Amino acid sequence: AVGSRGGVRGGWGRRPGPGARDRIREGRVVLVGARGLAALAMDDLATRAGVSRATLYRLFPGKAAICTSLIRTYSPLEPVGRLVLEMKEAPPEVVMPEIARTVYRTVYGSGETRLGLLRAVFFEVSSLAPDAEESARDAMQAIIGSVGAYVMTQMTSGRLRPMSPLLALQSFVGPIFFHVLTRPLVARVLGVEIDGEQAVTELAEGWLRSMRPDLEETR
């Protein structure tokens, strides 16, 4: 592709031009959203971003790095982590509905939905494809380290019913994630329009009711 070993060394030695990272980011969103991570060709991404392969691999040395970057940039993980850190002393009745609204705002708040991209990334992560396994591990550690730790603290303090923190997280995230993913389909097929923030707030409040400590446990 470059003609000689010297060309390879020269390519690796050059600094990426201005705007290269942004163009790569834009290109990966389009290509991963349309094809999924598994079908992403690094050559196609370099061509779409108008950069050399050397520049692409300098900034994102493989699909695993691209997947990790997509999760950090476009998923709700980091906004939720910041929220829990800021509100760690607040009760679950305040924190959990706000987490649900933060997830909804992250997906829909920018004016253009990120659903296509999130579906593609979620599929890759949940299938534990080799290129996504490291990203899946990082994502799980992030969510357990923030929301999971908060939920465990609230269980220990008696504010939430004690159970497996992992199951508690799954029962909280599952309905919210399902609503976020299916909301456009419900509106288009069934003609039912539901206020997104109100919907996820009600789902979080339903989870809180199910997690109230039993009277026997609080005595």
Side-chain angles (χ1 to χ4, degrees):
V2 297
S4 68
R5 291 184 180 179
V8 174
R9 295 192 187 100
W12 280 106
R14 297 190 193 102
R15 287 183 174 275
R21 186 182 294 271
D22 289 339
R23 294 197 304 275
I24 293 171
R25 286 172 174 167
E26 292 171 4
R28 77 189 176 184
V29 169
V30 173
L31 294 177
V32 173
R35 307 176 188 174
L37 184 67
L40 175 66
M42 299 296 277
D43 284 347
D44 290 346
L45 180 54
T47 299
R48 185 178 187 91
V51 300
S52 67
R53 283 174 55 88
T55 295
L56 175 59
Y57 278 97
R58 177 188 293 278
L59 296 174
F60 298 98
K63 290 185 182 180
I66 289 174
C67 186
T68 298
S69 179
L70 285 170
I71 290 174
R72 289 176 177 171
T73 304
Y74 295 101
S75 82
L77 286 181
E78 291 199 359
V80 166
R82 290 194 298 270
L83 172 71
V84 173
L85 184 62
E86 294 168 0
M87 302 183 68
K88 61 183 179 181
E89 303 300 330
E93 292 76 14
V94 174
V95 175
M96 302 310 288
E98 191 58 35
I99 289 176
R101 288 188 288 268
T102 298
V103 171
Y104 175 82
R105 291 166 188 160
T106 301
V107 177
Y108 288 97
S110 64
E112 54 183 63
T113 174
R114 302 177 179 184
L115 278 182
L117 179 63
L118 288 178
R119 285 194 193 102
V121 172
F122 176 75
F123 176 78
E124 300 292 343
V125 169
S126 61
S127 66
L128 282 182
D131 291 323
E133 187 169 352
E134 183 179 345
S135 303
R137 187 181 301 110
D138 290 344
M140 290 297 294
Q141 290 174 345
I143 196 69
I144 291 173
S146 57
V147 184
Y150 173 80
V151 167
M152 287 180 64
T153 299
Q154 300 307 309
M155 289 178 180
T156 302
S157 68
R159 290 174 169 174
L160 293 177
R161 178 168 59 86
M163 64 177 294
S164 163
L166 181 58
L167 291 179
L169 281 179
Q170 290 174 334
S171 66
F172 176 77
V173 172
I176 293 170
F177 190 68
F178 182 78
H179 171 76
V180 169
L181 286 183
T182 60
R183 185 169 175 264
L185 179 65
V186 170
R188 185 168 62 249
V189 174
L190 301 180
V192 178
E193 290 286 349
I194 304 174
D195 181 88
E197 289 202 20
Q198 179 182 346
V200 297
T201 299
E202 291 183 12
L203 290 171
E205 290 172 347
W207 181 85
L208 286 166
R209 287 192 293 271
S210 72
M211 291 297 295
R212 285 175 182 164
D214 296 332
L215 291 177
E216 292 77 8
E217 295 173 347
T218 59
R219 289 174 182 171

